[in-house]
């Protein structure tokens, strides 16, 4: 497919599926984050990095927009390595959800820290420090 040519219906179908999965993930994460944010704030959590949070929102909004534009406007289509990239993406999602489940009520899209609590040292954090520490 040459740049600017229309994508075929098969590529559009899988693009819609992928974007749908990403959007569902984000909505579920935002709902979970709103709940944990209320709990954390009620327990005295302090927010850090609030000034850069709008930039993170912009990145998360522009990511699916950029994917759609790449296919629809530029005519991009998956190369022969797409199974490798899809596998790596799925593994990254598994790692993300392992982190979310490990942190439980302490997970949030914002940096909300409960003073006096010890860092989490289980799950992926048994191997790596959480970046907020």
């Amino acid at each position: 497919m040459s740049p600017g040519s229309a994508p075929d219906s098969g590529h559009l179908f899988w693009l819609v599926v992928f974007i749908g999965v990403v959007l569902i993930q984000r909505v579920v994460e935002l709902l979970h984050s709103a709940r944990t944010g209320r709990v954390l704030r009620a327990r005295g959590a302090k927010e850090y990095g609030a000034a850069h949070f709008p930039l993170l929102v912009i990145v998360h909004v522009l990511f699916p927009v950029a994917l759609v534009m790449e296919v629809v406007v530029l005519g991009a289509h998956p190369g022969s390595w797409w199974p490798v990239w899809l596998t790596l993406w799925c593994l990254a999602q598994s790692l993300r959800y392992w982190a979310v489940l490990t942190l439980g009520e302490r997970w949030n899209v914002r940096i909300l820290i409960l003073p006096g609590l010890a860092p989490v040292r289980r799950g992926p954090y048994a191997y790596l420090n959480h970046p907020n520490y």
Side-chain angles (χ1 to χ4, degrees), residues 60-84:
H60 280 270
V61 168
L62 289 180
F63 173 70
V65 171
L67 287 176
V68 169
M69 297 301 288
E70 185 178 30
V71 172
V72 173
V73 175
L74 299 178
H77 63 282
S80 61
W81 282 67
W82 73 264
V84 172

Side-chain angles (χ1 to χ4, degrees), residues 30-94:
L30 288 173
L31 292 171
H32 178 61
S33 179
R35 186 185 66 75
T36 61
R38 285 189 299 274
V39 170
L40 289 167
R41 284 186 172 98
R43 293 177 57 197
K46 297 179 194 257
E47 183 172 0
Y48 295 87
H52 75 263
F53 186 72
L55 297 173
L56 293 175
V57 171
I58 290 169
V59 167
H60 280 270
V61 168
L62 289 180
F63 173 70
V65 171
L67 287 176
V68 169
M69 297 301 288
E70 185 178 30
V71 172
V72 173
V73 175
L74 299 178
H77 63 282
S80 61
W81 282 67
W82 73 264
V84 172
W85 302 124
L86 181 61
T87 300
L88 289 173
W89 182 81
C90 289
L91 289 171
Q93 299 313 300
S94 299

Side-chain angles (χ1 to χ4, degrees), residues 24-26 28-29 92-102:
I24 289 168
Q25 281 182 321
R26 296 303 183 259
V28 169
E29 289 167 9
Q93 299 313 300
S94 299
L95 181 59
R96 278 181 357 101
Y97 285 110
W98 186 24
V100 170
L101 291 171
T102 298

